[in-house]
């Protein structure tokens, strides 16, 4: 049963700390998305990659957020330093353009910054 | 103006009724349209996608697309309490350009 995995599932940290979230896309998927979801803003696209290259990260606060794909099986989203307003659920999704542009979401990382 | 607009609801329908969820989008170049369902505390899951004007049916779900009016809808026939969730509309250009999600419509199906 192929699915997107994300770690950690929950993270509580203090303001100013570094947070790293990891995502393993579905094997063979070459497009990876990072989203943030809050009650106020809904689902926001932060960044996405195709074939490990960043295509768009305009939704991401550049001063504190960074996203990378060290290899085809791992995507990371890092926040440094974290702030209380970063508290949200962060979703990773993967997809394959030849598969009808469908993207499949991971279970999310629920982040709370105190 | 947001790229994708949805009424936040909640939309309440009795069990067995038809639920109609609507979505409008601003970019006339949008070509792919998706409906996702999200249960509370869970991740979005794909229900349907539609590319062409008209209707597309899958079981109890029907997606309707009208590109001239920049409007896409989702009909759920014979609504069940298990359909109670938030429904997210998403649009994109081809080749996985940016996905834009609406804020979602919360559906309550009352037994």
């Amino acid at each position: 049963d192929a699915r997107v995995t994300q770690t950690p599932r929950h993270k509580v940290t203090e303001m100013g700390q570094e947070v790293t979230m990891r995502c393993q896309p579905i094997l063979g998927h070459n497009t990876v998305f990072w989203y943030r979801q809050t009650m106020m803003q809904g689902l926001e696209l932060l960044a996405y990659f195709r074939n490990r290259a960043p295509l768009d990260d305009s939704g991401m606060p550049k001063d504190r957020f960074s996203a990378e794909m060290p290899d085809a099986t791992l995507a990371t989203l890092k926040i440094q330093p974290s702030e209380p307003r970063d508290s949200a659920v962060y979703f990773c999704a993967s997809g394959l353009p030849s598969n009808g542009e469908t993207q499949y979401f991971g279970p999310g990382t629920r982040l709370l910054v105190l | 103006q947001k790229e994708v607009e949805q009424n936040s609801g909640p939309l309440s329908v009795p069990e067995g009724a038809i639920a109609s969820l609507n979505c409008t989008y601003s970019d006339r170049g949008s070509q792919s349209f998706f409906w996702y369902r999200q249960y509370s505390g869970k991740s979005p899951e794909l229900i349907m996608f539609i590319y062409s004007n008209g209707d597309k049916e899958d079981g109890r779900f029907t997606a309707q697309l009208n590109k001239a009016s920049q409007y896409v809808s989702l009909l759920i026939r014979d609504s069940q309490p298990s359909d109670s969730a938030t429904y997210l509309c998403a649009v994109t250009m081809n080749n996985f350009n940016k996905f834009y999600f609406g804020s979602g419509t919360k559906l309550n199906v009352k037994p």
Side-chain angles (χ1 to χ4, degrees):
Chain A
D1 183 25
R3 59 184 68 188
V4 177
T5 59
Q6 290 184 248
T7 57
R9 294 291 307 277
H10 302 272
K11 176 73 175 179
V12 180
T13 191
E14 292 188 347
M15 183 174 62
Q17 296 299 304
E18 178 178 298
V19 175
T20 298
M21 291 169 270
R22 293 177 175 82
C23 167
Q24 182 173 15
I26 293 172
L27 188 64
H29 283 190
N30 68 346
T31 308
V32 174
F33 302 81
W34 282 106
Y35 291 92
R36 174 172 63 185
Q37 189 174 42
T38 61
M39 289 294 292
M40 293 298 296
Q41 298 297 326
L43 199 61
E44 302 173 277
L45 179 65
L46 297 175
Y48 71 102
F49 294 77
R50 179 166 300 155
N51 297 321
R52 297 176 54 199
L55 289 190
D56 192 310
D57 61 1
S58 59
M60 210 161 61
K62 299 294 191 302
D63 57 338
R64 299 183 300 107
F65 284 61
S66 61
E68 296 179 342
M69 277 201 77
D71 61 60
T73 64
L74 177 65
T76 62
L77 179 66
K78 189 174 294 186
I79 308 174
Q80 169 62 24
S82 58
E83 297 181 2
R85 60 179 167 155
D86 301 329
S87 298
V89 180
Y90 290 81
F91 288 107
C92 172
S94 73
L96 197 60
S98 61
N99 189 25
E101 301 179 19
T102 302
Q103 52 181 307
Y104 298 88
F105 282 77
T109 294
R110 191 172 296 273
L111 174 65
L112 177 61
V113 183
L114 302 175
Chain B
Q1 182 189 7
K2 282 195 167 184
E3 289 83 2
V4 181
E5 300 271 8
Q6 293 182 257
N7 189 320
S8 62
L11 173 66
S12 292
V13 300
E15 183 175 355
I18 296 175
S20 177
L21 304 160
N22 304 315
C23 171
T24 58
Y25 59 95
S26 60
D27 189 341
R28 283 199 171 273
S30 299
Q31 300 209 13
S32 304
F33 307 86
F34 303 81
W35 282 101
Y36 283 80
R37 176 176 62 199
Q38 186 175 25
Y39 292 112
S40 180
K42 301 295 185 182
S43 56
E45 55 179 334
L46 180 71
I47 299 175
M48 294 187 68
F49 59 86
I50 186 168
Y51 304 141
S52 305
N53 274 329
D55 296 358
K56 180 181 179 182
E57 187 174 317
D58 184 359
R60 295 186 297 112
F61 298 96
T62 299
Q64 299 175 318
L65 175 61
N66 184 325
K67 288 188 177 181
S69 300
Q70 295 176 240
Y71 177 95
V72 58
S73 64
L74 179 71
L75 301 179
I76 307 175
R77 290 183 299 281
D78 189 23
S79 296
Q80 301 297 309
S82 58
D83 296 325
S84 297
T86 296
Y87 289 80
L88 302 167
C89 172
V91 305
T92 186
M93 302 283 285
N94 279 339
N95 296 322
F96 268 141
N97 285 350
K98 276 190 177 183
F99 271 74
Y100 293 99
F101 277 83
S103 56
T105 298
K106 186 174 175 60
L107 173 67
N108 291 329
V109 181
K110 299 179 179 180

